[in-house]
PDB file of all heavy atoms in Angstrom:
ATOM      1  N   LYS M1151     -15.146 -19.014  -5.751  1.00 98.00           N
ATOM      2  CA  LYS M1151     -16.201 -18.227  -6.453  1.00 98.00           C
ATOM      3  C   LYS M1151     -17.261 -17.754  -5.411  1.00 98.00           C
ATOM      4  O   LYS M1151     -17.724 -16.659  -5.309  1.00 98.00           O
ATOM      5  CB  LYS M1151     -16.841 -19.076  -7.475  1.00 98.00           C
ATOM      6  CG  LYS M1151     -18.077 -18.541  -8.241  1.00 98.00           C
ATOM      7  CD  LYS M1151     -17.668 -17.514  -9.203  1.00 98.00           C
ATOM      8  CE  LYS M1151     -18.891 -16.944 -10.073  1.00 98.00           C
ATOM      9  NZ  LYS M1151     -19.752 -16.096  -9.358  1.00 98.00           N
ATOM     10  N   ALA M1152     -17.641 -18.826  -4.500  1.00 98.00           N
ATOM     11  CA  ALA M1152     -18.589 -18.421  -3.503  1.00 98.00           C
ATOM     12  C   ALA M1152     -18.163 -17.349  -2.452  1.00 98.00           C
ATOM     13  O   ALA M1152     -18.853 -16.447  -2.118  1.00 98.00           O
ATOM     14  CB  ALA M1152     -19.036 -19.798  -2.662  1.00 98.00           C
ATOM     15  N   LEU M1153     -16.843 -17.486  -2.183  1.00 98.00           N
ATOM     16  CA  LEU M1153     -16.301 -16.506  -1.333  1.00 98.00           C
ATOM     17  C   LEU M1153     -16.194 -15.099  -1.907  1.00 98.00           C
ATOM     18  O   LEU M1153     -16.553 -14.115  -1.305  1.00 98.00           O
ATOM     19  CB  LEU M1153     -14.825 -16.872  -0.866  1.00 98.00           C
ATOM     20  CG  LEU M1153     -14.168 -16.178   0.208  1.00 98.00           C
ATOM     21  CD1 LEU M1153     -15.031 -16.034   1.409  1.00 98.00           C
ATOM     22  CD2 LEU M1153     -12.860 -16.841   0.590  1.00 98.00           C
ATOM     23  N   ALA M1154     -15.879 -15.054  -3.234  1.00 98.00           N
ATOM     24  CA  ALA M1154     -15.937 -13.808  -3.957  1.00 98.00           C
ATOM     25  C   ALA M1154     -17.328 -13.235  -4.082  1.00 98.00           C
ATOM     26  O   ALA M1154     -17.474 -12.032  -3.745  1.00 98.00           O
ATOM     27  CB  ALA M1154     -15.413 -14.009  -5.372  1.00 98.00           C
ATOM     28  N   ASP M1155     -18.300 -14.091  -4.199  1.00 98.00           N
ATOM     29  CA  ASP M1155     -19.689 -13.648  -4.290  1.00 98.00           C
ATOM     30  C   ASP M1155     -20.065 -12.937  -2.922  1.00 98.00           C
ATOM     31  O   ASP M1155     -20.708 -11.971  -2.915  1.00 98.00           O
ATOM     32  CB  ASP M1155     -20.655 -14.785  -4.607  1.00 98.00           C
ATOM     33  CG  ASP M1155     -20.475 -15.189  -6.057  1.00 98.00           C
ATOM     34  OD1 ASP M1155     -19.918 -14.473  -6.856  1.00 98.00           O
ATOM     35  OD2 ASP M1155     -21.057 -16.285  -6.418  1.00 98.00           O
ATOM     36  N   TYR M1156     -19.679 -13.678  -1.896  1.00 98.00           N
ATOM     37  CA  TYR M1156     -19.954 -13.178  -0.581  1.00 98.00           C
ATOM     38  C   TYR M1156     -19.313 -11.755  -0.314  1.00 98.00           C
ATOM     39  O   TYR M1156     -20.055 -10.786   0.164  1.00 98.00           O
ATOM     40  CB  TYR M1156     -19.507 -14.115   0.541  1.00 98.00           C
ATOM     41  CG  TYR M1156     -19.970 -13.635   1.935  1.00 98.00           C
ATOM     42  CD1 TYR M1156     -21.253 -13.874   2.350  1.00 98.00           C
ATOM     43  CD2 TYR M1156     -19.063 -12.967   2.804  1.00 98.00           C
ATOM     44  CE1 TYR M1156     -21.678 -13.488   3.617  1.00 98.00           C
ATOM     45  CE2 TYR M1156     -19.445 -12.466   3.949  1.00 98.00           C
ATOM     46  CZ  TYR M1156     -20.781 -12.820   4.405  1.00 98.00           C
ATOM     47  OH  TYR M1156     -21.125 -12.240   5.625  1.00 98.00           O
ATOM     48  N   ILE M1157     -18.079 -11.743  -0.668  1.00 98.00           N
ATOM     49  CA  ILE M1157     -17.395 -10.442  -0.426  1.00 98.00           C
ATOM     50  C   ILE M1157     -18.073  -9.331  -1.372  1.00 98.00           C
ATOM     51  O   ILE M1157     -18.227  -8.180  -0.842  1.00 98.00           O
ATOM     52  CB  ILE M1157     -15.927 -10.492  -0.633  1.00 98.00           C
ATOM     53  CG1 ILE M1157     -15.302 -11.483   0.491  1.00 98.00           C
ATOM     54  CG2 ILE M1157     -15.044  -9.233  -0.748  1.00 98.00           C
ATOM     55  CD1 ILE M1157     -13.878 -11.945   0.255  1.00 98.00           C
ATOM     56  N   HIS M1158     -18.248  -9.627  -2.536  1.00 98.00           N
ATOM     57  CA  HIS M1158     -18.960  -8.675  -3.401  1.00 98.00           C
ATOM     58  C   HIS M1158     -20.304  -8.262  -2.798  1.00 98.00           C
ATOM     59  O   HIS M1158     -20.774  -7.083  -3.116  1.00 98.00           O
ATOM     60  CB  HIS M1158     -19.045  -9.235  -4.828  1.00 98.00           C
ATOM     61  CG  HIS M1158     -17.793  -9.358  -5.533  1.00 98.00           C
ATOM     62  ND1 HIS M1158     -17.553 -10.311  -6.473  1.00 98.00           N
ATOM     63  CD2 HIS M1158     -16.575  -8.643  -5.367  1.00 98.00           C
ATOM     64  CE1 HIS M1158     -16.256 -10.226  -6.921  1.00 98.00           C
ATOM     65  NE2 HIS M1158     -15.658  -9.222  -6.196  1.00 98.00           N
ATOM     66  N   SER M1159     -21.087  -9.218  -2.300  1.00 98.00           N
ATOM     67  CA  SER M1159     -22.381  -8.876  -1.786  1.00 98.00           C
ATOM     68  C   SER M1159     -22.311  -7.842  -0.667  1.00 98.00           C
ATOM     69  O   SER M1159     -23.272  -7.145  -0.284  1.00 98.00           O
ATOM     70  CB  SER M1159     -23.066 -10.161  -1.206  1.00 98.00           C
ATOM     71  OG  SER M1159     -22.626 -10.580  -0.042  1.00 98.00           O
ATOM     72  N   LYS M1160     -21.130  -7.688  -0.053  1.00 98.00           N
ATOM     73  CA  LYS M1160     -20.980  -6.666   1.012  1.00 98.00           C
ATOM     74  C   LYS M1160     -20.423  -5.380   0.393  1.00 98.00           C
ATOM     75  O   LYS M1160     -20.096  -4.417   1.165  1.00 98.00           O
ATOM     76  CB  LYS M1160     -19.865  -7.126   1.928  1.00 98.00           C
ATOM     77  CG  LYS M1160     -20.191  -8.469   2.757  1.00 98.00           C
ATOM     78  CD  LYS M1160     -20.574  -8.132   4.136  1.00 98.00           C
ATOM     79  CE  LYS M1160     -21.612  -9.089   4.539  1.00 98.00           C
ATOM     80  NZ  LYS M1160     -22.281  -8.766   5.816  1.00 98.00           N
ATOM     81  N   GLY M1161     -20.415  -5.276  -0.828  1.00 98.00           N
ATOM     82  CA  GLY M1161     -19.940  -4.062  -1.517  1.00 98.00           C
ATOM     83  C   GLY M1161     -18.375  -3.937  -1.491  1.00 98.00           C
ATOM     84  O   GLY M1161     -17.820  -2.762  -1.656  1.00 98.00           O
ATOM     85  N   LEU M1162     -17.730  -5.044  -1.194  1.00 99.00           N
ATOM     86  CA  LEU M1162     -16.240  -5.066  -1.113  1.00 99.00           C
ATOM     87  C   LEU M1162     -15.610  -5.763  -2.302  1.00 99.00           C
ATOM     88  O   LEU M1162     -16.359  -6.375  -3.122  1.00 99.00           O
ATOM     89  CB  LEU M1162     -15.852  -5.714   0.197  1.00 99.00           C
ATOM     90  CG  LEU M1162     -16.280  -5.027   1.457  1.00 99.00           C
ATOM     91  CD1 LEU M1162     -16.066  -5.947   2.593  1.00 99.00           C
ATOM     92  CD2 LEU M1162     -15.604  -3.644   1.689  1.00 99.00           C
TER      93      LEU M1162
END
Side-chain angles (χ1 to χ4, degrees):
K1151 173 80 172 75
L1153 192 49
D1155 289 347
Y1156 184 78
I1157 290 170
H1158 291 151
S1159 78
K1160 300 255 144 190
L1162 297 167

